[in-house]
Amino acid sequence: DLGEPVSLYIAEDEVKYGSDNVIENGDFETGSPSPWITPSDSTGMNVFTISTDHASGQYSLQMTVGDANDSAYVEFPTKIGVQYRLIFYITIPNHDALSSVRFKLGHSGDVDAYRGDVYPDTSITTKQKIDIYFIPTQATSRFTIAESGSSNDANVYLDSITCYELLDHTYKLMAVNDTI
């Protein structure tokens, strides 16, 4: 018995995820950037290598965006219409106003389906966690990092990339006394 007045609300109690990370080698601990790809044409990253800088474990992926539209991406299997949670850590220690780094999430035919954050104007000198929920429209999704500014040779470090299928939410009914 809470007395009166009472407010009722529904709160998320627990979220359950699948046990398989659909991003292969998301921690780069194999010492290789594979299965990440950077195009071999003029839109490829200037630097695309494994680094020990800004790493959670032993390695991280280092990319240098040198020209507008430089990009790198990874494709991974997903289920159409099922919600996923993508988490990754990024560091951009030498970013400035001449460059914008954009994260895109979609599929190879429509990589702009889910536009991510844009990082113009400022450096990210410590690891920043990015957390994205999405629902794929194709059986293969693509996660892209791209330069969308005029270029400045910004170094981008990625690490600890995970993507899990969201299996279930459980909710609980909550009640609290209101004070007027």
Side-chain angles (χ1 to χ4, degrees):
D1 183 18
L2 294 174
E4 290 185 27
V6 174
S7 290
L8 298 175
Y9 65 95
I10 295 175
E12 187 173 68
D13 187 35
E14 186 178 343
V15 181
K16 295 178 183 173
Y17 297 97
S19 60
D20 295 329
N21 180 5
V22 297
I23 303 282
E24 184 183 336
N25 192 29
D27 58 6
F28 305 103
E29 293 304 302
T30 64
S32 166
S34 179
W36 278 82
I37 297 169
T38 189
S40 58
D41 62 15
S42 62
T43 63
M45 296 286 185
N46 287 7
V47 173
F48 185 73
T49 189
I50 293 297
S51 173
T52 57
D53 290 339
H54 308 285
S56 293
Q58 189 172 358
Y59 302 112
S60 63
L61 178 61
Q62 178 188 352
M63 300 170 283
T64 301
V65 292
D67 300 311
N69 299 315
D70 281 356
S71 67
Y73 64 89
V74 64
E75 291 185 336
F76 53 95
T78 50
K79 296 175 186 172
I80 298 169
V82 174
Q83 188 171 24
Y84 286 81
R85 182 181 186 190
L86 175 72
I87 299 172
F88 62 97
Y89 291 83
I90 188 161
T91 309
I92 311 173
N94 63 331
H95 209 248
D96 66 24
L98 296 176
S99 183
S100 296
V101 177
R102 182 178 296 277
F103 309 107
K104 301 176 186 178
L105 191 55
H107 55 85
S108 61
D110 183 19
V111 295
D112 293 334
Y114 311 101
R115 281 200 170 268
D117 295 328
V118 177
Y119 289 93
D121 305 335
T122 186
S123 293
I124 303 170
T125 55
T126 59
K127 271 188 207 173
Q128 182 170 338
K129 178 181 178 182
I130 309 294
D131 198 338
I132 302 170
Y133 288 88
F134 69 101
I135 299 173
T137 58
Q138 299 289 324
T140 301
S141 292
R142 179 183 282 189
F143 174 46
T144 304
I145 305 293
E147 161 72 66
S148 60
S150 61
S151 79
N152 76 336
D153 292 341
N155 290 316
V156 178
Y157 296 89
L158 283 180
D159 202 4
S160 303
I161 305 166
T162 59
C163 185
Y164 292 98
E165 178 183 345
L166 183 72
L167 297 177
D168 192 19
H169 286 272
T170 57
Y171 297 93
K172 59 185 172 185
L173 181 63
M174 302 294 292
V176 292
N177 281 333
D178 275 347
T179 55
I180 298 175

